[in-house]
Amino acid sequence: MIVYNCPMVPFEFFKALGVPFKRIKNLGCEFNELNSNICSFCRKSVLSVDKDDIVVWIDSCDSARRTADFLKQTNKVFELHIPTVSDQQAVLRLSKDLKALWQSLKSIFGDVSDERLFRAQKNFEEQMKLLERALSGDSKEIKELYEKMTGERWIGSTQSKGKSILVLGAPIDQNLVQIIEENGGNVINATCSGVYSIISNTLNSDDVFRNIAYRILNRKIMCMRSAPQRDLSDLIDKIKPSAIVLHTIKFCDFYNFDEREIRKTKIPFVVIENDLTALSNAQIKTRIQALMELLTHRENAFKREFDLFVGIDSGSTTTKISVINTEEKLLYKNIVKTGAYPVATAKKLFEEVIEKFKVPREKIYLVCTGYGRATLDFAHEQITEITCHARGVHFLIPEVRTIIDIGGQDSKVIKVENGQVVEFVMNDKCAAGTGRFLEVMANVLDVPLQKIGKLSLEYTKEIDISSVCTVFAESEVVSLRASGHKREDILYAIHKAIARRISAMYERVKGTQPVILTGGVALNEGVKKALERILGIQIQIPPEPVLTGALGAAVIGHQKNSQ
């Protein structure tokens, strides 16, 4: 069996040799023998290589090279370097490397004539042309051709249902496809795990190795790992997607260069960083659901009248509830600790509302949001906190254009127009830039969490914390304290570090004023002042900065039932 890691391999060789071949697979568990800074795709795929497999490996990045070094301990590994340009010299150089690889593979699998290789090359080109012509037709036909050509399982939608979602960037798996489909999307996979990765221009010469080299170097969508730039405009113009998902993998950042080009298209998009674990699913679902909510307003599925509209925000630290009436007047609000049983906490809050207002359950329309929303199956619907925060802040401050929401476990910057989300970015992969970061630092300095913001404003000397990672920043704080720096100075450095993190997110969405700060951290005056200083703007805090998600959920419920 031949195992390969990238679609830039010479498939024609495998076909001519008549050897079974497959791409490495994400097995769902990380291999700890590899360095923790190697990308999740390599760490989770190396175990899919059996000890008897022959490995053909494209050294497209440092993680790939380090993985190849490890595999060489147990397997026969042939590395192939792909030039970053496609001019005549690059084609000639790659053709020489391909010829050497062909001789090596023949020494293992048996001598095969060059004529047989030439036929395999021509046949692959014919299949590639059929594949390109089929792209606008039957997905099942495309799937069969793709799997036949690559030995790789098809990853993408097979039925054209829902809104077209173009996925770019790092390779995806069927799990992401399923999440998008479950939320009303039709996945067009233009990553290197999809059909567009093998469609190329061709060269008709007498040198079979030069033909193959030309095909590899002249793919119609080049990988950012192996090209200094790539043009996505033709692909986007042809597909005309409703939205774009830019998929990145942990410790693999090159694909973010695409973000600049995607922004120019004005097509709604979201960036997803995936570490390929089950823990990523909830975060991915939030982003996808928010993206789909950008595209459409759901039709009112309930025709009966309601007396109260309730929003519950089930957060990681606290659970919030808001109640409004048919005139959108806020009647009730409450905030409690989420605790170990978020469903029970939310249900208790809801039952208290029923008891307080003496209103039958069937006359109350309930919308849930927050990370725990999916588990609250007693609600009429679940909506992402991104959409709910936008609607809640707009309800309180109609002129809002940008929302900075900093909660206990995540932070978001949301750009809005008339209460509708235009664009957003999130940080929920680490504690940096969140309330948890502040909580850890408060414990290190032995200062009550409620006082650190005010104390930070009493600094007398400006110092810096270089790391935004909570673990490393904690070590820096300990060192600064041991060096004799005042707590006030260290606290100011901590708040400034958070503000820098948030400011980078603000710049990504090109935030504009008025800017509203929400979430539990909005109550920390040190964060507000640090953000204002770094961004050079005035920031407002609404009357209920912690309740905006729950309030927005209640408002959405009312608006959907009053159309």
Side-chain angles (χ1 to χ4, degrees):
M1 172 73 74
I2 292 177
V3 175
Y4 67 93
N5 68 322
C6 171
M8 287 188 286
V9 293
F11 291 109
E12 297 91 333
F13 287 7
F14 312 154
K15 302 280 189 178
L17 291 168
V19 178
F21 57 97
K22 66 177 182 180
R23 191 176 183 179
I24 54 174
K25 305 291 183 185
N26 169 20
L27 295 180
C29 58
E30 290 197 350
F31 188 55
N32 292 325
E33 294 297 322
L34 292 175
N35 188 284
S36 59
N37 286 337
I38 289 177
C39 83
S40 296
F41 181 73
C42 287
R43 283 168 60 82
K44 288 178 171 295
S45 301
V46 66
L47 290 177
S48 70
V49 181
D50 296 329
K51 61 182 180 65
D52 296 326
D53 290 336
I54 303 299
V55 179
V56 177
W57 202 260
I58 305 300
D59 64 344
S60 54
C61 65
D62 189 61
S63 286
R65 287 187 282 274
R66 299 292 74 78
T67 306
D69 290 341
F70 178 81
L71 288 171
K72 288 174 184 176
Q73 299 177 57
T74 54
N75 293 77
K76 187 70 173 177
V77 178
F78 296 102
E79 288 186 86
L80 190 62
H81 177 70
I82 305 297
T84 58
V85 294
S86 57
D87 58 22
Q88 185 175 355
Q89 287 186 338
V91 171
L92 290 173
R93 186 165 66 251
L94 180 57
S95 66
K96 290 179 181 179
D97 292 342
L98 287 171
K99 188 172 185 179
L101 174 61
W102 174 244
Q103 296 300 327
S104 297
L105 291 175
K106 285 202 299 182
S107 69
I108 296 173
F109 295 107
D111 193 22
V112 175
S113 69
D114 288 349
E115 178 61 30
R116 183 170 174 180
L117 175 60
F118 207 103
R119 289 198 303 270
Q121 182 252 319
K122 290 298 181 183
N123 184 54
F124 191 85
E125 282 189 10
E126 288 300 320
Q127 290 178 327
M128 189 170 61
K129 291 175 183 177
L130 287 173
L131 185 63
E132 187 171 14
R133 287 198 294 267
L135 286 177
S136 58
D138 184 10
S139 297
K140 292 183 179 179
E141 180 185 357
I142 302 171
K143 174 179 180 293
E144 291 174 2
L145 268 171
Y146 173 77
E147 292 182 346
K148 183 178 180 180
M149 294 173 69
T150 65
E152 168 76 345
R153 184 172 65 90
W154 169 267
I155 299 174
S157 298
T158 54
Q159 296 183 359
S160 299
K161 293 182 178 180
K163 298 183 181 298
S164 59
I165 307 298
L166 176 64
V167 184
L168 297 168
I172 64 173
D173 57 22
Q174 199 63 27
N175 178 61
L176 178 60
V177 174
Q178 182 177 344
I179 291 173
I180 294 174
E181 289 180 337
E182 287 174 349
N183 287 279
N186 173 53
V187 176
I188 301 166
N189 181 7
T191 75
C192 66
S193 61
V195 63
Y196 290 93
S197 65
I198 59 170
I199 295 177
S200 308
N201 296 311
T202 58
L203 178 68
N204 186 22
S205 78
D206 295 332
D207 186 338
V208 66
F209 301 106
R210 189 177 174 191
N211 290 344
I212 297 173
Y214 186 90
R215 176 190 68 77
I216 292 174
L217 292 179
N218 286 273
R219 295 190 305 159
K220 294 190 176 180
I221 302 179
M222 289 302 296
C223 172
M224 187 59 72
R225 282 293 188 188
S226 61
Q229 60 184 8
R230 62 178 187 169
D231 186 2
L232 300 171
S233 58
D234 287 345
L235 175 68
I236 293 173
D237 288 344
K238 183 176 181 179
I239 293 175
K240 294 180 173 55
S242 300
I244 296 173
V245 172
L246 181 54
H247 178 252
T248 67
I249 290 178
K250 185 179 178 182
F251 297 124
C252 179
D253 297 322
F254 279 50
Y255 295 100
N256 275 328
F257 287 118
D258 284 345
E259 185 174 337
R260 180 178 55 211
E261 299 304 314
I262 296 171
R263 286 185 186 280
K264 295 177 183 177
T265 68
K266 306 299 182 182
I267 297 173
F269 78 97
V270 65
V271 178
I272 290 176
E273 184 189 63
N274 193 353
D275 63 6
L276 304 176
T277 66
L279 294 176
S280 284
N281 286 350
Q283 298 159 348
I284 290 172
K285 286 178 181 178
T286 295
R287 285 166 165 78
I288 296 300
Q289 288 169 359
L291 179 66
M292 301 306 288
E293 288 165 3
L294 283 177
L295 303 180
T296 184
H297 300 291
R298 300 174 189 174
E299 293 183 359
N300 180 16
F302 298 89
K303 300 304 180 182
R304 60 181 183 271
E305 293 183 356
F306 296 92
D307 295 334
L308 296 178
F309 303 91
V310 176
I312 294 179
D313 182 355
S314 178
S316 59
T317 305
T318 59
T319 299
K320 288 77 66 175
I321 190 167
S322 293
V323 182
I324 63 175
N325 61 13
T326 56
E327 298 176 352
E328 288 193 337
K329 181 181 179 181
L330 181 62
L331 303 179
Y332 177 75
K333 61 187 179 183
N334 197 6
I335 304 171
V336 299
K337 291 286 186 181
T338 297
Y341 304 99
V343 176
T345 301
K347 281 186 175 180
K348 183 179 179 182
L349 282 175
F350 188 48
E351 294 295 336
E352 289 174 354
V353 166
I354 295 173
E355 178 62 26
K356 177 178 177 62
F357 290 96
K358 308 297 182 185
V359 175
R361 186 186 297 264
E362 60 271 16
K363 301 293 286 184
I364 301 175
Y365 191 88
L366 174 63
V367 176
C368 288
T369 188
Y371 274 160
R373 68 187 181 280
T375 61
L376 307 183
D377 56 4
F378 54 95
H380 288 102
E381 57 183 320
Q382 296 88 18
I383 296 178
T384 65
E385 59 269 32
I386 295 163
T387 298
C388 289
H389 276 294
R391 202 67 62 85
V393 174
H394 180 261
F395 179 81
L396 297 169
I397 307 174
E399 63 271 21
V400 60
R401 294 300 302 277
T402 307
I403 300 166
I404 298 174
D405 180 74
I406 310 177
Q409 298 291 340
D410 68 47
S411 53
K412 322 171 190 66
V413 179
I414 310 166
K415 194 171 183 179
V416 301
E417 290 182 4
N418 298 319
Q420 300 296 328
V421 177
V422 175
E423 191 175 344
F424 66 92
V425 292
M426 291 181 68
N427 163 45
D428 53 13
K429 288 295 180 183
C430 67
T434 70
R436 177 59 180 161
F437 181 86
L438 290 172
E439 184 179 346
V440 170
M441 299 308 154
N443 288 335
V444 172
L445 293 171
D446 195 25
V447 179
L449 183 61
Q450 296 78 8
K451 295 183 178 181
I452 62 173
K454 185 176 182 180
L455 279 175
S456 73
L457 300 178
E458 299 176 7
Y459 75 99
T460 56
K461 181 180 180 182
E462 189 162 337
I463 58 177
D464 288 306
I465 292 176
S466 59
S467 177
V468 295
C469 171
T470 305
V471 176
F472 295 134
E474 183 177 356
S475 298
E476 279 194 70
V477 168
V478 172
S479 297
L480 288 170
R481 191 72 172 132
S483 300
H485 287 282
K486 293 170 55 181
R487 287 190 304 181
E488 292 81 359
D489 297 342
I490 298 172
L491 283 169
Y492 179 73
I494 289 168
H495 286 71
K496 189 167 59 174
I498 282 189
R500 283 199 302 265
R501 177 84 174 204
I502 299 300
S503 68
M505 298 167 65
Y506 180 88
E507 293 300 326
R508 281 180 63 188
V509 302
K510 294 181 171 54
T512 56
Q513 299 187 69
V515 178
I516 311 301
L517 180 61
T518 65
V521 178
L523 302 174
N524 180 314
E525 55 189 308
V527 169
K528 177 179 180 290
K529 293 291 185 182
L531 276 169
E532 288 179 330
R533 180 178 179 184
I534 286 179
L535 294 176
I537 61 174
Q538 293 292 315
I539 294 176
Q540 300 179 50
I541 297 178
E544 304 289 351
V546 183
L547 279 167
T548 52
L551 178 59
V555 170
I556 289 172
H558 173 263
Q559 292 176 349
K560 287 189 173 183
N561 288 277
S562 60
Q563 295 173 352

